[in-house]
């Protein structure tokens, strides 16, 4: 049996967080959303034994957090044996091509610039959701 995918949203702007959640719900995605408004609490959650043992998850990641850069979280996720398969969607106001390329180099799956275009966002989330619903990563002992 596959576990439902938990969406972990790391976003310090509560207005953006509400809008992102509204867009996820509008796309008929009913998965649990765990919201963190800073990098420290997000890392504590992501690297907890419970999360590392249970996966799967989708991470929505802002780059400009009050306590660290989202790229630091992305790099740590992709370097971890258990978490590296989690798809990461970067949602940020930065449209700098160097920054975008850096995120893809670090392993992000989708890079979306805020303000979020609803259709592009819904399409990306649906594709990842479809991908996640058919893909259950094997447990590595």
């Amino acid at each position: 049996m596959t576990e439902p995918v938990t969406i972990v949203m790391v976003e310090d702007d509560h207005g953006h967080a509400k809008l992102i959640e509204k867009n996820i719900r509008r796309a008929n995605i009913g998965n649990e959303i765990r919201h963190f408004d800073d990098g420290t609490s997000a890392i504590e959650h992501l690297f907890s034994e419970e999360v590392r043992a249970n996966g799967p998850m989708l991470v929505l990641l802002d780059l400009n957090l009050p306590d660290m850069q989202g790229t630091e979280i992305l790099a740590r996720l992709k370097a971890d044996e258990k978490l590296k398969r989690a798809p990461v969607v970067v949602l940020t106001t930065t449209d700098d091509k160097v920054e975008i390329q850096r995120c893809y180099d670090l392993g992000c799956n989708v890079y979306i610039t805020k303000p979020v275009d609803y259709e592009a966002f819904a399409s990306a989330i649906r594709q990842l959701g479809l991908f996640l619903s058919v893909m259950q990563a094997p447990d590595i002992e």
Side-chain angles (χ1 to χ4, degrees):
M1 178 176 133
T2 59
E3 289 290 314
V5 174
T6 299
I7 298 170
V8 176
M9 177 176 17
V10 187
E11 169 61 70
D12 63 318
D13 181 312
H14 287 268
H16 279 145
K18 279 189 165 49
L19 185 62
I20 290 164
E21 183 165 355
K22 186 173 135 192
N23 285 338
I24 289 170
R25 299 304 179 217
R26 276 178 58 194
N28 291 323
I29 296 167
N31 301 53
E32 177 189 0
I33 299 173
R34 302 284 308 266
H35 175 226
F36 299 92
D37 53 16
D38 63 74
T40 304
S41 59
I43 283 177
E44 283 172 10
H45 173 74
L46 291 165
F47 286 88
S48 68
E49 281 312 307
E50 176 195 354
V51 171
R52 294 185 77 239
N54 295 326
M57 67 184 156
L58 166 65
V59 179
L60 303 178
L61 182 62
D62 185 14
L63 292 185
N64 304 307
L65 299 167
D67 56 346
M68 67 179 65
Q69 287 298 305
T71 49
E72 184 181 328
I73 298 170
L74 176 60
R76 288 181 64 178
L77 277 173
K78 294 304 179 176
D80 185 86
E81 272 308 306
K82 288 202 181 282
L83 301 176
K84 68 181 178 187
R85 289 186 303 274
V88 176
V89 176
V90 170
L91 292 165
T92 190
T93 52
T94 309
D95 63 358
D96 175 59
K97 292 193 178 345
V98 173
E99 189 69 10
I100 293 169
Q101 188 57 53
R102 181 163 173 240
C103 287
Y104 281 116
D105 290 346
L106 286 170
C108 92
N109 298 73
V110 180
Y111 189 105
I112 299 174
T113 306
K114 294 186 285 194
V116 173
D117 170 78
Y118 169 70
E119 287 305 322
F121 178 73
S123 172
I125 296 297
R126 270 196 213 96
Q127 287 172 0
L128 281 170
L130 189 65
F131 168 72
L132 288 169
S133 67
V134 298
M135 179 215 87
Q136 177 66 30
D139 290 335
I140 296 175
E141 295 302 320

